[in-house]
Amino acid sequence: MLRSTLLIAWKVLTRRKFFAGVSLFGIAFTLGVLTVAAALFDQVVGARPPEVNAHRTIGVYSVMLGGEHMQNNGPGGYALFDRFTRGIPNVELMSIHSMPYSVFSYQGGSRRKLYFKKTDGEFWNLLRFDFLEGGPYTEKDVAEGRFLAVINEATRERYFAGGPAVGKTLEADGQTFTVAGVVPNLSLLRFAVGADVWVPHTTSRSTRYRLESELIGGYTAFYLARSKADIPGIQAEFVSRMKTVPLPSKQYDRIVAVPETVLQNVSRNLFGNRDAVASSKPILIALALFTVAFMVLPTLNLVNLTVSRTLERSSEIGVRRAFGASRGALVWQFLVENVFLTFLGAAFAFVFAGITLAVLNRADLLPYMQLELNARVMAVGLFLALFFGVFSGAYPAYRLSRLDPVTALRGGAH
Amino acid sequence: MNLATALKAQETPRIVAAAPAGPPAISLRGVEKVYRTDRIETVALQSLNLEVGSGEFLSIMGPSGCGKSTLLNVMGLLDRPSNGEVSLGGRVVSSYRDKDLAALRNKEIGFVFQSFHLINDLTVVDNVELPLLYRTMSGRERRRLALEALDRVSLSSRVHHFPTQLSGGQQQRVAVARAIVGKPRLLLADEPTGNLDSAMGDEIIGILTELNERDGATVVMVTHDERQAAKTQRIVRLFDGRQVH
Amino acid sequence: MIRHLFVLVWNRKRTNALLAAELFVSFLVLFGVVTTAVYTARKWSLPVGVVYRDVIDVEIDTQGERRKFTPADSELFRQVAAAARALPEVEGVAAGNPAPFTQSSWRTDFRLENGRQVRYAAGAVTDEWADVLSLQVTRGRFFSREDDAAKGFRPMVITEQLAHEVFGDADPIGKELGERAPDGSEEEPYKVVGVLAAYRQNGELDEPIGYGLQRLRWDGERSTDHMLVRVRPGTTAAFEERLVKTLQNVAKDWAFRAQPLSASREVTNRLYVVPLILLGGIAGFFALMVALGLIGVLWQNVTQRTREIGLRRAKGAAAANVRRQVIGEIAAVTTFAVGLGSVFALQLPILAPFDFVSGGTYLVGYAISVVLVYALAFVCALYPAHLATRVAPAEALRYE
């Protein structure tokens, strides 16, 4: 049955090359764009080294000081995390590190932008970087305020001509660091972990960031739960501790911060109640709606092409009905045919997406963007192809299956 | 060729199930069919009572537009009558849903059309297998039955050809094979010889006659051709949607 | 003829409804993209009012949040500025927030007496800002020492655009801007002291919004984190390095980042342009897809209606008549789609969900997209129409 359906689908497709070309073009382009979007999405939130424990890691990406007339929103302060969130039960590891920030470094009379990230020593335990050379600085190095740095491969290429860099010095932001280790490039889209240069937070010019009043101030904290099931408990404990934080002025009446996943954070800021732990569902629903909206025009195009060929197939439909195909069986047949078509289109879409991703990676829109068509992205692409096939096949299948068999056999479709 | 077919038929098992004695193969009671469009009402069939006995070979004749094809479609459960009752093998099917009607057509009825209606994208054997696709059965079993049916119409050598590579007569034989592959009790043929020259037409009538005589299949055939109609057991004449005697 | 066309289209309404739906969505997509393009072109053509060449933006990281400068901070900040001014390449130094071509912005709004809401962008800058950025003052004057003595009000310099939005044709100089705080708080009102020809913080592609500058005092407690340094033409990155080192020596606890405005302008423009290119690319591909699909559908329609067309030919319709009919039919369907689309599209200038896009922009975008949709439909109908004229009358009778 499936064999015969696919055979017919192939024959119908190849009978009119122009139609095949136009249909596949539309499908491949639509799925191609969505696959590229999926790759981008995967780059931001997909788990991959060094975030090997992503499923049980939560982070505080933004902190809000709220008051009746004032709101102050931004990444949290080091002191907030350091003083109030240590020792939460079931937290295996905790790390406080800054958001990446750019500094300029001058070399041979030219200016270069480097993204820095200030971290503690635990950062290197919570995240597992594959060191190309050397190793991380330790908690002890951090405590002693040693001017050590971990750099990425691109920085090693720039400053040390790709040669061994450990033990050599790097001057940036008016400070001099000794290179402790070298790690592979990491896209800055992974803003929570990526940078060019990672240095101990104690190399900051002043110790002001450790003052208790610094509740907002460019830092993120990661908490590695012992297991995924411990996350809600950790969040509850975190929220209750926030209630004990002294507020900096009378303008504010609360401090809102929750350790969460990146998606939960976006979801909370866009749709949710900002004061509570949000589920990541709203943002996923929004993305799904956006995807469907994007498919509307290609779907109409495909539906029109398919429906315009109804007459071509009326004899087949009449015969199938006469020999015992129920309407349901025909709906099924045409849906399978359409899904077959969209899967064929998906093959082209992957080629299209592969080329586009390579171009985007080279276009240097963001440093070290490594968009890739990995298994996860391909799986999303195939799922989208299935969905698109059913979505765009539903109406033609319904319409073809409702053809009156007598009319169909007479060769009329109207 | 006819003789060869006939000889072969004696050796092969009965391909069409014998009709049990008892209820008529099909009976129509007070059947009316009215087509309505925005402005006009066209009466295609009027208070028609007709009984086709099991194992009968019946011709329906009449001028163009007298409702012959409509009658055949009603008998084939492709069209619902506006009024009246249709029973197939004693079962009143008027109230059946689409799915049940489809299942009945699949098991009990085989169609042969004037313009063959073969699917040009499929090979001969795939075309013949088509009715069996809507039954649960293994692919091997389907293939076996299809080859058997093709053998019955002497087309074993053309199994993997496409319909467009065959002559009109051969195409219609493929269509007959498709109609009998599911071993239905009732064969409905709508001007099966209409697109064929007389020699080919005779051949097709020969096959239908043989299916009727040897296998006991009930055959209802719409035709314009008095010569062909004369070969059947009974002729029903229609005029303006009414049966005339 | 036209009535006949619409009857034909109506009789084939099921097929045509789908075509109309596709054209309808295409029209809306086109309208969105074209309006964005028109809006961008308009922005591009407006004066910027800022000369960004030979200006270096120094971002100052005071290491920790400082909503207010202490007297010590303020003193240090003045020393930093003085050190910059002492360098021989430097022609002028100003401080302020937000600096041009930083993606940060500050929007504020208030209600006029007639109830209309006015939204504008604001900044706080020192007296030298106008010289460093070569701002052009059209009326009144820029901030100066004489504002030190201002009593009972705070001076403000606004753009001609904002002046027009708030005061119409009346002379804005000396008038108050903004609402008085309803709770009768002590805050002094802003009073306009000068008008600028234009001031668009983020350049050509920035939202064309009215701008109001407040005065920042070197010795005030209001904090800032940007300093603009006008340098002699031809100054290189080596100077930037020297500048940063100089400043660093003055304020050891602060960090400095220096970058020419021309460099940050490039980054900022790219942020505006890349999404536009992506949007345009996708829309272009969609248009191509719709065009090809339309050709396919019309072609198929002609093939299926060989009989009808042949009959028309047999009855003596000239080839031109047949062509006109095929094109006329799709034109009728397009008219239906555009009509429906207009109901939606024309809501935008009425509802004005984006106050920075003017009604005129929508109308120009609307007009262009109407023309484009008709052009698309027409071009796509040409080949199928040509095919239709090739149908021989005899074919109609043969065709089953």
Side-chain angles (χ1 to χ4, degrees):
Chain A
M1 182 84 192
L2 190 65
R3 185 190 72 91
S4 143
T5 304
L6 295 185
L7 193 67
I8 289 268
W10 177 252
K11 290 291 177 68
V12 170
L13 185 69
T14 50
R15 195 157 53 205
R16 301 280 295 266
K17 303 280 187 300
F18 179 77
F19 278 79
V22 174
S23 305
L24 286 175
F25 168 75
I27 297 166
F29 177 69
T30 308
L31 291 175
V33 170
L34 290 172
T35 307
V36 168
L40 209 65
F41 182 77
D42 182 69
Q43 176 96 152
V44 179
V45 302
R48 61 156 62 82
E51 292 157 278
V52 288
N53 293 318
H55 63 287
R56 52 191 182 101
T57 304
I58 43 180
V60 181
Y61 299 98
S62 63
V63 171
M64 187 188 82
L65 285 172
E68 210 178 329
H69 301 290
M70 290 284 279
Q71 258 191 14
N72 193 356
N73 203 358
Y78 177 89
L80 175 71
F81 302 123
D82 183 44
R83 301 205 174 192
F84 299 98
T85 72
R86 296 218 179 259
I88 293 177
N90 294 322
V91 171
E92 193 178 306
L93 281 174
M94 167 184 169
S95 158
I96 309 173
H97 47 272
S98 75
M99 290 286 182
Y101 60 96
S102 64
V103 306
F104 292 122
S105 156
Y106 298 91
Q107 205 192 358
S110 67
R111 168 177 25 86
R112 273 178 174 160
K113 199 180 212 174
L114 283 176
Y115 283 92
F116 263 57
K117 189 185 251 310
K118 289 175 184 160
T119 79
D120 54 12
E122 289 291 28
F123 183 78
W124 304 103
N125 297 327
L126 200 151
L127 299 155
R128 297 302 166 94
F129 285 80
D130 298 321
F131 277 82
L132 301 173
E133 181 188 344
Y137 43 82
T138 62
E139 197 59 58
K140 186 164 168 278
D141 295 328
V142 175
E144 290 169 2
R146 298 181 62 188
F147 280 71
L148 294 173
V150 171
I151 62 173
N152 67 359
E153 214 180 336
T155 307
R156 178 173 73 177
E157 192 63 41
R158 275 186 195 167
Y159 287 85
F160 308 104
V166 171
K168 295 187 177 161
T169 59
L170 172 84
E171 209 187 306
D173 204 16
Q175 293 177 319
T176 307
F177 299 90
T178 305
V179 176
V182 182
V183 295
N185 293 336
L186 195 61
S187 168
L188 282 170
L189 274 175
R190 306 179 76 71
F191 62 91
V193 293
D196 290 303
V197 182
W198 294 260
V199 299
H201 62 80
T202 46
T203 60
S204 299
R205 285 206 162 76
S206 93
T207 55
R208 213 186 133 99
Y209 71 101
R210 295 202 227 183
L211 293 181
E212 196 174 308
S213 58
E214 297 285 310
L215 300 178
I216 306 260
Y219 278 86
T220 301
F222 272 6
Y223 304 85
L224 179 65
R226 287 193 198 286
S227 77
K228 208 176 169 184
D230 291 325
I231 288 179
I234 294 171
Q235 287 172 327
E237 169 71 12
F238 186 98
V239 169
S240 77
R241 287 191 181 194
M242 283 301 114
K243 300 210 167 80
T244 67
V245 175
L247 293 167
S249 89
K250 272 189 226 155
Q251 287 171 312
Y252 302 116
D253 54 21
R254 67 193 189 282
I255 177 162
V256 180
V258 188
E260 58 203 346
T261 63
V262 173
L263 277 186
Q264 282 176 332
N265 180 263
V266 175
S267 201
R268 188 164 60 92
N269 283 319
L270 284 183
F271 311 105
N273 171 6
R274 300 186 80 165
D275 295 47
V277 182
S279 102
S280 52
K281 259 188 208 138
I283 184 77
L284 293 177
I285 289 170
L287 285 173
L289 286 179
F290 180 79
T291 306
V292 171
F294 186 76
M295 282 182 180
V296 165
L297 191 55
T299 293
L300 282 169
N301 194 54
L302 200 56
V303 166
N304 267 314
L305 282 169
T306 314
V307 167
S308 77
R309 298 179 72 185
T310 306
L311 200 64
E312 227 175 81
R313 306 192 63 178
S314 73
S315 161
E316 181 198 333
I317 293 164
V319 166
R320 285 181 188 275
R321 296 281 281 136
F323 283 102
S326 62
R327 286 191 192 119
L330 285 186
V331 166
W332 191 240
Q333 181 195 335
F334 291 122
L335 273 186
V336 170
E337 271 187 30
N338 209 59
V339 169
F340 167 76
L341 187 67
T342 53
F343 270 93
L344 210 60
F348 289 103
F350 286 158
V351 174
F352 170 82
I355 295 169
T356 310
L357 292 179
V359 169
L360 284 179
N361 285 342
R362 278 180 183 212
D364 203 29
L365 294 175
L366 276 168
Y368 325 123
M369 204 154 70
Q370 290 149 330
L371 302 173
E372 53 181 10
L373 267 186
N374 57 25
R376 222 166 12 204
V377 174
M378 303 257 269
V380 171
L382 287 178
F383 170 77
L384 288 174
L386 176 68
F387 175 79
F388 187 37
V390 174
F391 189 62
S392 64
Y395 179 72
Y398 169 80
R399 190 126 157 220
L400 291 175
S401 75
R402 302 299 290 193
L403 270 188
D404 173 36
V406 174
T407 324
L409 285 169
R410 232 186 277 131
H414 295 290
Chain B
M1 184 94 134
N2 262 341
L3 186 66
T5 316
L7 281 175
K8 223 171 196 172
Q10 284 180 321
E11 299 155 16
T12 49
R14 296 162 72 93
I15 198 155
V16 176
I26 191 153
S27 90
L28 310 182
R29 223 160 274 161
V31 163
E32 282 186 11
K33 182 70 191 177
V34 183
Y35 291 108
R36 287 190 183 86
T37 58
D38 295 346
R39 281 163 228 170
I40 339 158
E41 244 181 40
T42 319
V43 180
L45 294 175
Q46 280 190 64
S47 52
L48 201 75
N49 292 305
L50 181 65
E51 217 165 74
V52 182
S54 204
E56 204 177 348
F57 192 162
L58 179 87
S59 299
I60 301 173
M61 296 200 70
S64 287
C66 68
K68 302 185 300 282
S69 292
T70 305
L71 175 59
L72 203 71
N73 290 333
V74 168
M75 290 168 103
L77 316 182
L78 285 174
D79 215 349
R80 286 175 193 272
S82 314
N83 275 310
E85 205 178 78
V86 180
S87 350
L88 191 76
R91 280 163 297 185
V92 179
V93 298
S94 311
S95 62
Y96 277 37
R97 288 173 311 163
D98 173 70
K99 209 177 164 186
D100 306 323
L101 286 178
L104 261 183
R105 283 198 297 269
N106 184 245
K107 287 209 180 61
E108 311 273 339
I109 306 173
F111 292 89
V112 180
F113 307 100
Q114 178 179 1
S115 49
F116 324 141
H117 283 312
L118 296 175
I119 300 175
N120 288 333
D121 293 321
L122 296 178
T123 58
V124 163
V125 66
D126 282 335
N127 262 289
V128 174
E129 277 184 13
L130 185 118
L132 305 180
L133 289 177
Y134 302 103
R135 297 185 185 179
T136 39
M137 130 182 342
S138 74
R140 187 172 303 192
E141 177 70 358
R142 262 202 290 272
R143 184 51 53 112
R144 190 182 68 74
L145 289 172
L147 291 175
E148 199 178 297
L150 278 169
D151 192 34
R152 204 55 211 279
V153 296
S154 310
L155 275 176
S156 297
S157 57
R158 296 277 193 272
V159 169
H160 295 298
H161 284 64
F162 283 94
T164 45
Q165 298 168 313
L166 303 181
S167 72
Q170 286 171 325
Q171 289 191 43
Q172 194 61 306
R173 271 151 61 198
V174 175
V176 172
R178 180 177 61 186
I180 62 175
V181 71
K183 304 192 175 169
R185 283 185 213 163
L186 178 62
L187 282 179
L188 300 175
D190 190 356
E191 302 201 34
T193 62
N195 280 12
L196 303 176
D197 63 31
S198 61
M200 285 178 175
D202 286 345
E203 204 179 289
I204 295 297
I205 297 297
I207 295 174
L208 291 178
T209 310
E210 186 207 307
L211 286 166
N212 171 252
E213 287 174 359
R214 302 218 177 273
D215 302 353
T218 311
V219 184
V220 179
M221 176 172 78
V222 163
T223 183
H224 268 311
D225 190 334
E226 288 283 354
R227 199 173 60 90
Q228 307 289 25
K231 295 179 187 166
T232 62
Q233 296 164 6
R234 179 153 71 112
I235 299 179
V236 169
R237 290 177 195 278
L238 286 186
F239 190 77
D240 277 355
R242 286 173 198 277
Q243 193 178 342
V244 290
H245 296 282
Chain C
M1 178 71 184
I2 288 186
R3 194 176 156 270
H4 174 72
L5 272 180
F6 276 95
V7 169
L8 257 178
V9 169
W10 179 250
N11 287 347
R12 267 188 278 277
K13 51 183 170 289
R14 268 229 294 197
T15 315
N16 285 328
L18 274 172
L19 266 187
E22 183 173 350
L23 285 166
F24 164 72
V25 177
S26 304
F27 171 72
L28 288 187
V29 171
L30 261 179
F31 174 65
V33 173
V34 170
T35 305
T36 310
V38 171
Y39 172 61
T40 309
R42 280 204 169 180
K43 284 197 302 191
W44 193 265
S45 67
L46 291 173
V48 176
V50 173
V51 178
Y52 58 83
R53 279 177 210 87
D54 301 316
V55 178
I56 294 172
D57 172 24
V58 181
E59 195 186 338
I60 303 158
D61 178 0
T62 53
Q63 308 283 310
E65 198 190 15
R66 273 181 173 74
R67 309 222 114 225
K68 281 180 177 169
F69 274 163
T70 61
D73 291 331
S74 187
E75 172 59 30
L76 187 56
F77 192 68
R78 280 197 300 276
Q79 285 174 12
V80 165
R85 223 176 273 125
L87 291 170
E89 292 90 343
V90 173
E91 295 183 333
V93 176
N97 244 349
F101 306 112
T102 49
Q103 278 96 53
S104 73
S105 69
W106 176 15
R107 298 276 190 268
T108 176
D109 57 37
F110 64 94
R111 210 169 275 283
L112 293 179
E113 266 167 30
N114 63 17
R116 200 161 55 84
Q117 191 93 5
V118 175
R119 197 165 138 276
Y120 68 99
V125 302
T126 60
D127 302 351
E128 302 81 0
W129 200 260
D131 286 336
V132 168
L133 288 174
S134 317
L135 304 182
Q136 196 192 332
V137 178
T138 49
R139 289 186 269 184
R141 58 172 178 82
F142 202 74
F143 305 126
S144 69
R145 296 306 292 266
E146 73 183 86
D147 292 312
D148 287 353
K151 277 252 157 59
F153 71 93
R154 290 176 290 176
M156 195 174 200
V157 173
I158 62 177
T159 57
E160 284 289 353
Q161 185 186 346
L162 183 58
H164 183 76
E165 281 168 21
V166 178
F167 306 107
D169 296 330
D171 184 10
I173 304 295
K175 293 211 168 67
E176 279 184 20
L177 187 97
E179 289 166 303
R180 279 188 180 267
D183 52 1
S185 70
E186 313 275 305
E187 297 243 294
E188 293 168 335
Y190 287 107
K191 201 177 261 182
V192 178
V193 299
V195 183
L196 297 173
Y199 183 81
R200 287 167 73 210
Q201 188 196 311
N202 287 342
E204 293 89 345
L205 291 170
D206 196 6
E207 179 188 335
I209 189 173
Y211 211 101
L213 289 170
Q214 299 163 10
R215 185 168 183 250
L216 184 78
R217 291 178 63 149
W218 288 101
D219 55 357
E221 58 177 15
R222 194 165 174 179
S223 71
T224 188
D225 53 11
H226 279 273
M227 204 166 76
L228 294 185
V229 179
R230 171 161 284 280
V231 293
R232 282 205 201 107
T235 311
T236 62
F239 167 72
E240 294 162 31
E241 184 178 9
R242 198 144 46 81
L243 174 67
V244 168
K245 277 204 171 124
T246 309
L247 304 182
Q248 193 72 70
N249 281 333
V250 177
K252 298 224 162 27
D253 280 359
W254 293 358
F256 300 90
R257 241 178 309 180
Q259 175 170 240
L261 282 185
S262 53
S264 33
R265 172 174 178 267
E266 240 167 73
V267 174
T268 305
N269 277 358
R270 193 151 67 160
L271 276 178
Y272 285 112
V273 167
V274 168
L276 288 179
I277 290 175
L278 288 180
L279 182 70
I282 289 175
F285 268 105
F286 268 179
L288 182 62
M289 177 186 77
V290 169
L292 292 173
L294 214 54
I295 292 175
V297 171
L298 295 178
W299 182 0
Q300 190 74 7
N301 282 354
V302 166
T303 319
Q304 285 174 7
R305 287 162 57 195
T306 304
R307 191 182 169 79
E308 179 204 319
I309 294 167
L311 277 177
R312 277 171 200 277
R313 295 280 275 140
K315 280 191 206 152
N321 274 341
V322 171
R323 180 181 293 128
R324 212 178 300 142
Q325 194 209 330
V326 173
I327 293 173
E329 264 189 69
I330 188 65
V333 174
T334 310
T335 303
F336 186 75
V338 168
L340 188 64
S342 304
V343 173
F344 287 84
L346 294 176
Q347 297 298 314
L348 283 178
I350 297 166
L351 298 175
F354 311 106
D355 56 3
F356 45 90
V357 184
S358 69
T361 304
Y362 288 119
L363 291 179
V364 173
Y366 171 77
I368 294 176
S369 9
V370 169
V371 172
L372 281 180
V373 169
Y374 274 105
L376 181 88
F378 177 73
V379 168
C380 292
L382 281 182
Y383 179 67
H386 170 70
L387 280 183
T389 61
R390 301 253 306 260
V391 174
E395 222 171 307
L397 309 171
R398 227 183 322 124
Y399 198 89
E400 202 199 1

